[in-house]
Amino acid sequence: YQKVTDTLDVWFDSGVSHEAVLRTREGLHYPADLYLEGSDQHRGWFQSSLKTAVAINGNAPYKAVLTHGFTVDAQGRKMSKSVGNVVAPQKVLNELGADVLRLWVASADFSGEMTVSDEILRRTADSYRRIRNTVRFLLSNLDGFDPRAHCVTPADMLSLDRWAMDRAALVQSEIEVAYENYQFHSIYQKLHQFCGNDLGAFYLDIIKDRQYTCQADSVARRSAQTALYHISEALVRWIAPILSFTAEEIWTCIPGQREESVFVAEWYPLPSVAGLGGISRADWRVLGAVKEAVNKQIEVQRGRGLLGSSLEAEVMLYADEQLRNILSKVQDELRFVLITSMVDIALLEDAGEAAQGTLLPGLKIIVRKSSERKCVRCWHYRRDVGVHTDHPDLCHRCVDNVTGAGEVRRYA
């Protein structure tokens, strides 16, 4: 046997990369911000790096260590060519695009094994489309909007628009913390919730009437556009590390001056709304729950063929005192929140057998089809359609928006 001295142990070789790489490469620094590897390196690279660094420098070569699990198929089996259960990244890129693959990675909890299959990727593609379509709505409603000339100050914005910006600020603070802790699956969940529920199923649904029927330069419309603009500026930065190509595409479409790329932009400081115009966060949560309850009753009527659009509906709300106090805060704009043509509020104890119970305590509902005429402009069914002889097919509100000073909105 002859002893050789030029063979280097593989773990020592990789373990001293902090000296060979961090100490020598321009732009890097010691210790590293993060060491990233699979969970099999707990006894491998992480340990050899730690021991050699402690021996040489007396401290760890990293500020943080992040470990991830391995990719498995829908049955929990390890990916294997012989089994034939490998999902090739290139195939996903060609069929669904890079951002869908990146979104799947972000949606998976990497602390354990990560399951992937064609069905999971299809669901991820649906989630991606929801986020993308939400942003498309934001941008399409910012057409002709100049932030320098048209932004409304928070004090002058409608309560619902302040709520949307307040909600975005809360989500941003949560996403910031999640990024700092590498909780990408939490970011995915918050994005999905914000785009699907807070915006899509509530806020954007309500403001369509205001965007399309109020005067173009009215405070009511500019207030909504101001909220959409600030939310777009924030949201594009939230998704940039995950949906990189989409974020860069969005970046070029947001109005106003900006940096060359979203990747050199800093976190967007959402303006403080300093109160929600007399309606609290809790109040808006209740109003959202009432809207959901009304929607369920409208769907029942629609299923029976009694209703088409929700604007065909007139709603009677039987509410207890606490709920009535909240509903009355938005006054006659409650119909815009519920997206119905008419809303009346009555005492809960006056509810008859026809009133339907809901999952919301203290609320019963009657939904019936309106017998009034339909305004051809706003599609609301109103008693005042045709009262203006010059505009026989318009309601009073639309006549005012077309020929007068325009309607005034305070809440929704």
Side-chain angles (χ1 to χ4, degrees), residues 6-122:
D6 58 355
T7 300
L8 197 63
D9 176 75
V10 64
W11 290 121
F12 183 81
D13 189 10
S14 62
V16 294
S17 56
H18 50 81
E19 290 296 314
V21 177
L22 295 180
R23 297 284 195 188
T24 61
R25 299 286 181 91
E26 185 178 353
L28 300 181
H29 55 82
Y30 180 96
D33 292 320
L34 180 73
Y35 266 40
L36 171 67
E37 250 293 1
S39 54
D40 61 332
Q41 297 302 316
H42 288 155
R43 293 180 297 170
W45 184 48
F46 296 141
Q47 284 288 347
S48 62
S49 300
L50 176 64
K51 290 176 179 177
T52 54
V54 169
I56 298 170
N57 302 305
N59 59 5
Y62 36 69
K63 298 177 184 177
V65 169
L66 191 65
T67 64
H68 59 80
F70 294 91
T71 305
V72 297
D73 66 14
Q75 286 73 45
R77 298 175 300 177
K78 180 181 177 182
M79 293 286 176
S80 169
K81 290 184 179 179
S82 60
V83 176
N85 63 346
V86 174
V87 177
Q90 190 60 49
K91 180 174 180 286
V92 179
L93 294 179
N94 293 337
E95 293 181 357
L96 300 175
D99 276 359
V100 172
L101 182 61
R102 295 169 69 97
L103 188 61
W104 166 74
V105 174
S107 69
D109 183 357
F110 60 77
S111 61
E113 292 180 332
M114 295 172 287
T115 305
V116 64
S117 67
D118 290 338
E119 176 60 28
I120 290 172
L121 289 169
R122 279 194 293 270

Side-chain angles (χ1 to χ4, degrees), residues 103 107 126-128 130-131 134 163-164 167-168 170-172 174-175 184-204 231 235 238-239 284-285 288-289 292:
L103 188 61
S107 69
D126 290 339
S127 298
Y128 169 76
R130 179 180 292 275
I131 296 170
T134 298
W163 171 86
R167 183 69 192 134
L170 290 174
V171 172
Q172 177 160 290
E174 293 170 353
I175 285 178
F184 303 114
H185 66 288
S186 177
I187 296 168
Y188 165 82
Q189 292 165 2
K190 293 180 188 305
L191 278 171
H192 197 272
Q193 164 78 20
F194 184 69
C195 291
N197 294 355
D198 295 333
L199 294 184
F202 187 66
Y203 178 66
L204 301 183
I231 291 171
L235 196 150
W238 302 346
I239 67 172
W284 278 114
R285 279 196 298 271
E292 185 178 354

Side-chain angles (χ1 to χ4, degrees), residues 16 69 87 102 179 190 211 224 263 292 296 320 330 380 412:
V16 294
V87 177
R102 295 169 69 97
Y179 268 124
K190 293 180 188 305
Q211 284 292 94
F263 301 110
E292 185 178 354
K296 288 181 179 179
D320 60 22
V330 292
H380 285 244

Side-chain angles (χ1 to χ4, degrees), residues 225-394:
Q225 287 184 308
T226 299
L228 297 179
Y229 166 71
H230 290 307
I231 291 171
S232 298
E233 287 279 22
L235 196 150
V236 70
R237 289 162 167 86
W238 302 346
I239 67 172
I242 298 171
L243 304 177
S244 303
F245 295 104
T246 303
E248 193 75 332
E249 184 182 359
I250 293 167
W251 189 252
T252 64
C253 298
I254 301 175
Q257 294 183 341
R258 59 195 60 257
E259 295 88 342
E260 182 180 353
S261 169
V262 66
F263 301 110
V264 297
E266 296 183 351
W267 217 240
Y268 186 71
L270 283 157
S272 173
V273 295
L276 303 181
I279 305 175
S280 67
R281 292 174 182 169
D283 292 338
W284 278 114
R285 279 196 298 271
V286 171
L287 289 166
V290 172
K291 182 176 185 293
E292 185 178 354
V294 170
N295 285 345
K296 288 181 179 179
Q297 292 301 319
I298 290 175
E299 284 302 317
V300 170
Q301 300 279 30
R302 186 178 286 125
R304 295 172 180 170
L306 302 176
L307 278 178
S309 164
S310 67
L311 289 175
E312 291 183 23
E314 294 182 353
V315 179
M316 176 66 75
L317 302 178
Y318 295 94
D320 60 22
E321 183 179 2
Q322 182 180 6
L323 184 55
R324 283 203 320 276
N325 290 337
I326 296 174
L327 295 173
S328 63
K329 289 184 178 182
V330 292
Q331 301 176 17
D332 58 350
E333 294 181 28
L334 182 59
R335 67 185 175 104
F336 298 120
V337 175
L338 303 182
I339 315 180
T340 58
S341 286
M342 192 274 288
V343 181
D344 277 336
I345 306 172
L347 299 173
L348 181 61
E349 52 265 32
D350 292 339
E353 293 183 359
Q356 300 295 313
T358 68
L359 296 177
L360 190 63
L363 177 66
K364 291 185 177 182
I365 300 172
I366 291 180
V367 174
R368 60 177 177 267
K369 186 174 182 178
S370 176
S371 59
E372 306 298 340
R373 287 181 58 195
K374 178 182 178 180
C375 173
V376 297
R377 184 172 181 272
C378 70
W379 293 7
H380 285 244
Y381 290 75
R382 302 294 293 174
R383 187 171 301 172
D384 55 13
V385 173
V387 297
H388 295 268
T389 54
D390 293 338
H391 302 280
D393 296 321
L394 300 186

